[in-house]
Amino acid sequence: GGALQAREACALPPAAMSVIFLYQGRRHKVAIGPNTSLMSVLTEWCGGRRMDAAAYTLTHPKQKVDLSAPWRFTGLNNLTVLEVVKSAGGGAGAGGGAGGGGSVRVALQLPSGRKQGTFSPDATLGEVCATLGAAGVGDEGGKLSYMRRQFDPAEFATTTLRSIGLTSGAGLFRAVVGTGGTPRAAEPGAAAGDGGAAAASPA
């Protein structure tokens, strides 16, 4: 009856979300998940067209676009149209995200305290851990948590700050040692930009 149909409707997965990329007058519909950053989607989209993702950014006519934040925190609606444009400075050396830049301040929260450093957006998570004296996180089977995303040790060598949307500003990562359930996620304010800079400041 109606009650059964209602229960079945509630059990259905949420509708798929998409964003529309406008590039050179043509529209391209791109699927995006709630925890996926626009930077990672843009990087994948550019890669499929042999374009250098570091040379492009996304713009919206009415609001600033945060490429590093998960989609559900951007404030954008399903099927929002974003224009793919050359980023300021262009080229692989540019920041690649909104606002340009070229370095990322990383704060890594460890069980023993917080460590900080400045890195290129192309630095891998493994390089970040090694530089901050936290290489043992991966060796002990630990994970890194950033903006409600978890990265396994096997991903440290191939995941760059740029690939997860950090091209400038600051970001806060948490080292999760052990597998005792889902870790507490990094604060939404720990994304690149002013909010992330505040989150990455010493306590």
Side-chain angles (χ1 to χ4, degrees):
L4 177 59
Q5 292 178 345
R7 286 197 297 272
E8 290 177 344
C10 291
L12 292 175
M17 303 291 286
S18 298
V19 62
I20 305 298
F21 284 177
L22 177 63
Y23 180 64
Q24 295 183 341
R26 299 185 63 181
R27 297 188 175 210
H28 306 266
K29 186 177 180 181
V30 185
I32 188 169
N35 294 317
T36 305
S37 71
L38 282 168
M39 174 58 76
S40 62
V41 174
L42 176 62
T43 299
E44 183 176 349
W45 184 83
C46 287
R49 289 159 179 76
R50 297 185 179 180
M51 296 163 55
D52 180 9
Y56 294 89
T57 188
L58 298 171
T59 63
H60 187 279
K62 295 183 179 180
Q63 68 184 85
K64 182 178 179 181
V65 180
D66 184 352
L67 301 186
S68 67
W71 170 254
R72 59 179 174 173
F73 293 133
T74 62
L76 298 173
N77 297 321
N78 186 32
L79 300 179
T80 291
V81 177
L82 300 175
E83 187 173 5
V84 180
V85 298
K86 284 279 189 178
S87 57
S103 63
V104 181
R105 283 175 293 134
V106 173
L108 176 58
Q109 186 66 49
L110 300 166
S112 58
R114 181 177 297 186
K115 297 187 177 183
Q116 301 182 76
T118 301
F119 300 87
S120 160
D122 295 313
T124 65
L125 297 184
E127 292 169 343
V128 170
C129 287
T131 301
L132 297 182
V137 172
D139 296 338
E140 296 172 10
K143 301 179 180 181
L144 288 181
S145 174
Y146 172 72
M147 295 296 287
R148 293 174 170 78
R149 294 180 60 188
Q150 290 186 43
F151 300 93
D152 295 320
E155 300 176 276
F156 288 5
T158 57
T159 303
T160 65
L161 297 176
R162 185 188 302 280
S163 70
I164 58 178
L166 281 170
T167 58
S168 62
L172 172 63
F173 290 80
R174 295 182 186 277
V176 184
V177 180
T179 55
T182 303
R184 184 179 177 184
E187 292 86 350
D194 294 340
S201 299

